[in-house]
Amino acid sequence: MSSTPRISVIVGSARPVRIGRQLADSVASTLSTNLDAEIQILDLAEVALPMLDEPLMAGMNQYQNAHTVAWANLIAESDGVIFVTPQYNAGYPAALKNAIDYIYAEWKNKPSAIISYGGRGGLASAAQLRQVLEFIGLDLVDTDASFTIAQTDYTPEWSLGDSDAVVARYADDVRALGDAVLAKIDAEEEAEAA
Ligand SMILES: Cc1cc2nc3c(=O)[nH]c(=O)nc-3n(C[C@H](O)[C@H](O)[C@H](O)COP(=O)(O)O)c2cc1C
């Protein structure tokens, strides 16, 4: 691991008009202020994976497409990940499931946390995502953070008027998640060194 741990904030929504990137940027800047870690954004709209097109299942560890190897490297080079996901119809977005399913070994034991958002905090999305991530074997912190987004938080164009202000309502939760992910990274490093 690099001397400064790298934590990636994964933007789980990939729509052309969305609030996920704004929220992830505000989460990243909240984390950067108090965490001794490099925080990077992995935006699924930019990663732009096609619908899963690997011939073999990811667990066989024989990736054949350059976009799969590039995505696998981004996760392998992340010491921890924080998923920022909206709720779509009581679940999490297809783009996020697709990105998860592309790779396998890179997720194993990855210190990680979930931040969900929606009209009521996106709790169903977080629960569904947790079930999948636990199945794969990520090392998830016990508690999720959830952001309730009010209609008044949106501009008429469906972006957030002030995403920093939205995230500030949950700053303590975000910092606690960051601390918990970093603690898991540290524990893993100590276990490797022992
Ligand atoms: C396909 C779709 C389904 C949605 N389903 C829910 C839902 O089940 N619960 C909820 O609170 N909001 C739901 N919403 C509203 C989203 O919380 C809201 O649009 C939010 O901005 C989505 O995040 P995004 O802008 O980053 O894509 C849904 C939105 C979309 C596009």
Side-chain angles (χ1 to χ4, degrees):
M1 190 180 81
S2 56
S3 53
T4 303
R6 178 181 297 162
I7 297 177
S8 293
V9 177
I10 297 178
V11 185
S13 68
R15 301 190 297 151
V17 176
R18 59 187 173 142
I19 63 171
R21 178 59 191 257
Q22 287 178 284
L23 288 172
D25 284 339
S26 296
V27 164
S29 69
T30 301
L31 292 171
S32 297
T33 57
N34 79 320
L35 214 56
D36 187 16
E38 176 197 332
I39 311 295
Q40 75 171 2
I41 298 277
L42 296 182
D43 185 341
L44 295 185
E46 294 171 356
V47 174
L49 290 164
M51 282 299 281
L52 182 57
D53 62 354
E54 280 290 328
L56 301 176
M57 61 187 266
M60 297 177 78
N61 214 13
Q62 296 175 55
Y63 306 144
Q64 295 184 25
N65 296 317
H67 53 255
T68 312
V69 173
W71 174 235
N73 286 341
L74 286 171
I75 299 305
E77 291 160 6
S78 303
D79 300 301
V81 296
I82 296 179
F83 295 87
V84 176
T85 181
Q87 178 162 317
Y88 289 173
N89 296 316
Y92 59 94
L96 180 52
K97 183 69 162 70
N98 190 49
I100 291 168
D101 290 342
Y102 251 99
I103 59 179
Y104 188 72
E106 295 75 13
W107 294 124
K108 279 275 176 200
N109 300 316
K110 186 73 70 184
S112 51
I114 297 171
I115 298 174
S116 65
Y117 59 92
R120 291 177 189 166
L123 300 179
S125 167
Q128 198 187 61
L129 181 57
R130 175 170 285 274
Q131 185 179 17
V132 168
L133 299 181
E134 284 178 348
F135 174 83
I136 295 171
L138 284 81
D139 186 8
L140 271 173
V141 306
D142 291 337
T143 312
D144 307 327
S146 59
F147 301 164
T148 293
I149 312 296
Q151 286 297 321
T152 49
D153 290 322
Y154 287 93
T155 68
E157 293 76 36
W158 299 104
S159 64
L160 290 173
D162 187 347
S163 68
D164 286 344
V166 172
V167 173
R169 302 200 291 255
Y170 305 98
D172 289 347
D173 296 347
V174 170
R175 291 197 188 102
L177 279 196
D179 289 345
V181 170
L182 193 55
K184 283 186 178 294
I185 294 170
D186 288 344
E188 207 169 81
E189 190 180 20
E190 275 167 28
E192 275 168 21

